[in-house]
Amino acid sequence: MFEKFTDRARRVVVLAQDEARALNHNYIGTEHILLGLIHEGEGVAAKALESLGVSLEVVRSQIEEIIGREAETPIGHIAFTPRAKAVLELSEREALELGHDHIGTEHLLLGLVREGEGVAARVLRSFDADLTKVRHKVVEILNGYGLPTRLPRQATASLPSPVQQSRSGIGANLRARLIAGKANKLYDAGNKHEAMDLYAQAAAAAKHDSTLWVFIQVLRGEFLVELDRKREASVVLRELVDNLDDVRLYRFETRAWRGSNLRTEMLSTLVDLQLELLESAAEFDTLTELAEAARASGDAFERGRALRLSADNLRRKGRLSEAIDTLNVAIAEASRVSDTAGEAHAQVAAAYIEGRYPSAEARQNAIERARRALELYEHLGDKGDLANAHGLSGRLLRWSGNYQGAHDAYSRAVDVLRSAGLQDGLETAQTELSSLPLAPPRLSAVAD
């Protein structure tokens, strides 16, 4: 992958290692990549971040508050964390989406934001820099440089369409390109809703060329999300996903993209939309599709997310044993691919479910899961997740009648939140702590 990196992107990796050493961290995480992108100072990512009000000093300060500084300087090679590796993989995908055959600082930045759960994404959210805003800013800067970020001219080169083109089909292909070109200009000029009508016309005209149709549908879905027309975006993406099985391979400029990867990407976006539209619960069938598509494309991190969301869906429906089984699969998969955060999240979810079971054995299992999650979050260094895991341990111990243990767990949660300067959850943890008895209450006698 690194052979595709531009000189600036390579320099970002070196600077990320320097930032990790400066904080005495023996790993390169997403937070260090973010610091490297800002520190580099001249690439597209640095310019985009500067325009969004993201400064090196403030970011460095926030990261030190969240993670802290280690006492000893690391010696020898510093490796990437699983999340940082995922960001590098996502940066390649972002480059592909933009029709680029290289990986630059802008693609690394988009990969950071798309990853969504690491320290870097959390810091960027504090600047209100979400994926849509960052991508829009990156595209704006690239367009200023005259680089292509829309339909490439060779979108169908080298490979025949699965749908054989007749003469009328070739004419329709040209018409689709002309309409899409006009839509691009309208969108970039700010007439975005009018442009969406033209993209719909272009998609209809491209029915004889499945590759071009797919590319236009991808753009439509992305832009509809950006315009907050999420229900329309869901319809477009659903149609896209349902028809991807008919297209085995796509070629955008000189890069090939296997259909299974695109299917995973589009299903992931569709799940995110459903989570918003259905208020935190995605459709179970879509989650199942995403898990299977991620398995086919080898995207272990996306598969883990789909399994965790499926388990949450099952929990909401009261199918608790199925939810636990699904989470156990997610835990095993995460452990296999060294997805530390994914395993921790799945352990927490399973602990929350089992902790509500009436049996003492289930509650003890829940406590053990919470302890395992604490070990994983300690390794990751995310203070917010660590405090939440301590809070969960306190809740589980309280439910099991171990009030002293609960008191200790809540105290640790309060200490972690205070030391990191995090206000979210602090009041709740303090309230839970103050309400705890230090010994189990006596049971009053019950008359026969």
Side-chain angles (χ1 to χ4, degrees), residues 85-399:
K85 290 178 182 178
V87 166
L88 299 181
E89 294 172 2
L90 288 169
S91 68
E92 184 175 20
R93 191 180 300 178
E94 291 291 341
L96 187 58
E97 282 194 16
L98 291 172
H100 299 160
D101 58 1
H102 63 274
I103 298 175
T105 64
E106 61 273 21
H107 308 119
L108 288 172
L109 174 59
L110 290 171
L112 272 180
V113 186
R114 182 179 284 276
E115 186 275 331
E117 296 182 352
V119 174
R122 177 175 163 185
V123 170
L124 287 173
R125 282 196 295 272
S126 73
F127 289 92
D128 197 27
D130 59 18
L131 180 60
T132 298
K133 288 183 180 178
V134 171
R135 176 175 282 120
H136 180 76
K137 184 58 63 176
V138 165
V139 169
E140 180 182 296
I141 294 172
L142 290 176
N143 285 339
Y145 290 159
L147 296 176
T149 55
R150 295 290 189 269
L151 287 173
R153 293 183 178 180
Q154 302 301 324
T156 57
S158 306
L159 292 175
S161 166
V163 181
Q164 295 299 318
Q165 293 185 4
S166 62
R167 288 189 177 182
S168 61
I170 294 172
N173 179 294
L174 177 60
R175 180 169 177 269
R177 289 176 179 278
L178 290 173
I179 296 172
K182 185 177 179 182
N184 287 341
K185 292 179 181 178
L186 282 172
Y187 197 91
D188 291 337
N191 300 321
K192 298 183 177 183
H193 292 283
E194 185 178 348
M196 295 315 304
D197 294 337
L198 287 180
Y199 281 125
Q201 295 178 32
K207 61 183 179 180
H208 292 284
D209 184 338
S210 57
T211 302
L212 182 59
W213 178 83
V214 164
F215 203 97
I216 292 172
Q217 291 291 79
V218 170
L219 284 179
R220 284 183 70 199
E222 177 184 331
F223 293 157
L224 284 167
V225 170
E226 185 176 324
L227 294 172
D228 205 31
R229 293 163 59 175
K230 293 173 183 173
R231 293 198 181 279
E232 292 173 75
S234 295
V235 172
V236 169
L237 291 176
R238 182 74 265 174
E239 183 183 10
L240 176 59
V241 167
D242 289 344
N243 287 278
L244 279 178
D245 289 338
D246 296 331
V247 186
R248 295 181 181 176
L249 192 68
Y250 312 99
R251 185 173 293 274
F252 303 138
E253 293 190 344
T254 60
R255 299 293 307 283
W257 191 356
R258 294 200 176 276
S260 59
N261 290 350
L262 182 57
R263 183 181 179 83
T264 301
E265 182 73 18
M266 294 301 101
L267 278 166
S268 178
T269 304
L270 184 57
V271 163
D272 289 338
L273 287 171
Q274 289 180 351
L275 287 173
E276 294 185 44
L277 293 170
L278 302 177
E279 297 181 355
S280 80
E283 292 178 0
F284 189 74
D285 289 345
T286 308
L287 290 169
T288 303
E289 283 184 86
L290 175 57
E292 290 307 310
R295 188 209 296 269
S297 66
D299 191 335
F301 292 94
E302 194 64 65
R303 174 168 166 73
R305 186 173 84 103
L307 289 171
R308 294 194 300 273
L309 289 171
S310 295
D312 187 59
N313 191 295
L314 289 166
R315 179 187 65 80
R316 291 170 185 276
K317 295 178 179 179
R319 295 158 62 180
L320 302 184
S321 61
E322 292 176 72
I324 290 293
D325 291 343
T326 302
L327 287 168
N328 284 334
V329 173
I331 290 167
E333 292 266 332
S335 178
R336 181 179 63 82
V337 298
S338 299
D339 179 8
T340 307
E343 182 184 350
H345 296 334
Q347 292 282 16
V348 165
Y352 184 80
I353 295 173
E354 287 188 327
R356 291 181 174 274
Y357 283 6
S359 72
E361 181 183 359
R363 290 188 173 182
Q364 187 57 41
N365 286 341
I367 291 170
E368 292 302 320
R369 288 184 186 275
R371 286 175 182 163
R372 173 58 179 161
L374 280 169
E375 293 174 3
L376 296 169
Y377 285 134
E378 284 275 12
H379 175 72
L380 289 170
D382 189 310
K383 304 295 186 184
D385 284 335
L386 181 61
N388 288 337
H390 278 305
L392 173 62
S393 293
R395 194 175 304 124
L396 295 171
L397 289 164
R398 181 174 189 167
W399 289 343

Side-chain angles (χ1 to χ4, degrees), residues 399-415:
W399 289 343
S400 67
N402 184 348
Y403 293 101
Q404 184 60 57
H407 187 278
D408 294 342
Y410 279 123
S411 295
R412 284 191 287 270
V414 169
D415 290 343

Side-chain angles (χ1 to χ4, degrees), residues 4-25:
K4 301 170 188 173
F5 276 40
T6 63
D7 290 341
R8 290 193 190 283
R10 291 172 189 268
R11 175 164 168 72
V12 165
V13 174
V14 174
L15 289 171
Q17 180 171 316
D18 292 344
E19 292 288 348
R21 289 188 183 279
L23 291 168
N24 293 341
H25 295 164

